[in-house]
Amino acid sequence: MISRQEFARRRRELMDNMEENSIVILPAAPERRRNRDIDHAYRQDSDFWYLSGFPEPEAVMALIPGREHGEFVMFCRERDREMETWHGYRRGPEGAVKDFGADDAFPISDIDEILPGLIEGRDRVYYDMGRDPEFDRQVMSWVNSIRAKVRSGAHPPGEFLALNHFLHDQRLFKSSLEIKVMRRAGEIAAAAHVRAMQVVEPGMYEYQLEAEYLHEFMRHGARAPAYPTIVGGGRNGCILHYVDNNQKLKDGDLVLVDAGAEFHCYASDITRTFPVNGKFSAEQQAVYEVVLASQLAAIEQVKPGKHWNSPHEAAVQVLTQGMKDLGLLKGEVSELIETEAYRRFYMHRTGHWLGLDVHDVGDYKVHDEWRVLEPGMVMTVEPGIYIAPDDSSVASKWRGIGVRIEDDVAVTRKGCEVFTDGVPKSVAEIEKLMKKKRRAA
Ligand code: GLY
Ligand code: MN
Ligand code: MN
């Protein structure tokens, strides 16, 4: 769990980096309708949560460095006995102060009267324009209400600055507490993959295997997957974002599962590819070994001083050589890389930042150069090979094989830590685990 002190530290760091005499305005995520009068499960906006830990919709936070009566101001829903009876607890402004460290808190219904007064006199507003048109209009109406009073001496802000630049750079570097939470998110997802390897069998539907993941996530307090779970049997493993998950798993096929848990808002993101019947065929194993070698080579590159693209370059090198050795690609390895011929079978990048968002924030390049890796950054390493079922350029025995192996890796002072090694990935270890069927619960 992220502590109150840590949320306070984050706000302090952001405020210390802000320009003189400025204000941050940040709204909570809106609720989203699922159908008729039912909403999707609520998930707080990652920036809002990062700075407050406040879990409710209909809230706005303002950070006003140097404000005498308090720098952290929260607007939120009031306590309401009847609404709480129907819809669940609300913290109310008093809870925002008592439990979330706000210096001042007001009912959200009073925001139009109060927030313009907080903006007035500030030179700059940090605000992410363009994310929510309705909130954009509200912000402009507050600013315009100040502009309308200039003849009475009001001082409207002269500048709008993007909040995300600063904040997202801050979010890129995980604290030791964040690492702890992310490590746990990784462990939970790894346990789910272990469970799946032990229960899968031919004839099962992909969604039945998905259910095993969701059960294991929930059981450990990860109340939602970090993204829609991908369970692709056989050729479905070649569809990168396959989420139909409605086909039968067949004897002799592989199943590719990309499943991660969200734990205290932090994502894990694991892919494993394993044989439905517990035993890899010769061709499946040959492709798998190439992907695994490329993943290990890429992880080897995750250490301080390497740059963001180093793991990708290492993975591409090993994949291309391996695909040439298997006869999937023909020609010189250097040329196959140069011309990007490998992209026929490996068309995505080797990873992304990981954090509160599964594709987490943070720049990949700085001044047009790949970012240098530093301790505290967390990323995925996820190479794959996908041979389309109708690819007549390769021998038919390879067609329809899709393999990806994905782990979550933190850069440490000395090298890296893999959060997700609780689930095996070598052929021998997977086959051994799959032999040990989980006893019926
Ligand atoms: N599951 C999303 C990804 O691997 O990027
Ligand atoms: Mn993934
Ligand atoms: Mn990923």
Side-chain angles (χ1 to χ4, degrees), residues 214-363:
L214 300 182
H215 181 104
E216 195 69 15
F217 292 171
M218 276 266 189
R219 209 163 89 71
H220 293 294
R223 303 280 300 279
Y227 51 88
T229 300
I230 295 168
V231 182
R235 60 167 61 191
N236 297 335
C238 298
I239 301 170
L240 298 180
H241 292 150
Y242 176 79
V243 287
D244 290 344
N245 299 357
N246 59 2
Q247 299 298 304
K248 257 189 188 170
L249 296 169
K250 294 198 203 91
D251 200 353
D253 275 353
L254 294 174
V255 59
L256 182 157
V257 185
D258 187 340
E262 187 174 274
F263 186 67
H264 292 283
C265 286
Y266 285 85
S268 52
D269 182 5
I270 304 182
T271 306
R272 287 292 183 268
T273 309
F274 44 99
V276 170
N277 65 13
K279 187 109 187 73
F280 286 84
S281 73
E283 288 76 22
Q284 289 165 352
Q285 177 165 355
V287 173
Y288 189 91
E289 298 286 13
V290 172
V291 177
L292 181 57
S294 75
Q295 204 230 15
L296 296 174
I299 291 175
E300 187 74 16
Q301 296 296 311
V302 182
K303 53 179 128 180
K306 294 288 179 181
H307 58 74
W308 163 255
N309 212 38
S310 309
H312 182 66
E313 286 165 3
V316 165
Q317 180 72 36
V318 175
L319 286 172
T320 307
Q321 178 70 54
M323 290 192 282
K324 178 187 151 119
D325 295 345
L326 295 180
L328 295 169
L329 291 172
K330 289 178 187 62
E332 284 297 315
V333 170
S334 57
E335 202 173 312
L336 292 167
I337 292 174
E338 178 94 21
T339 58
E340 300 193 336
Y342 64 86
R343 289 189 58 127
R344 181 180 192 100
F345 306 110
Y346 180 46
M347 57 298 276
H348 61 77
R349 302 270 319 168
T350 302
H352 47 83
W353 302 131
L354 185 73
L356 289 171
D357 294 306
V358 65
H359 297 159
D360 207 30
V361 295
D363 291 334

Side-chain angles (χ1 to χ4, degrees), residues 114-135:
I114 297 170
L115 193 52
L118 300 177
I119 300 171
E120 203 274 324
R122 297 273 150 183
D123 295 325
R124 299 171 189 84
V125 180
Y126 285 89
Y127 168 62
D128 279 333
M129 193 77 70
R131 277 217 278 195
D132 176 349
E134 199 178 320
F135 196 75

Side-chain angles (χ1 to χ4, degrees), residues 302-304 374-377 410-417:
V302 182
K303 53 179 128 180
E374 294 178 54
M377 295 174 170
V411 184
T412 61
R413 273 192 304 142
K414 295 215 173 111
C416 69
E417 176 187 347

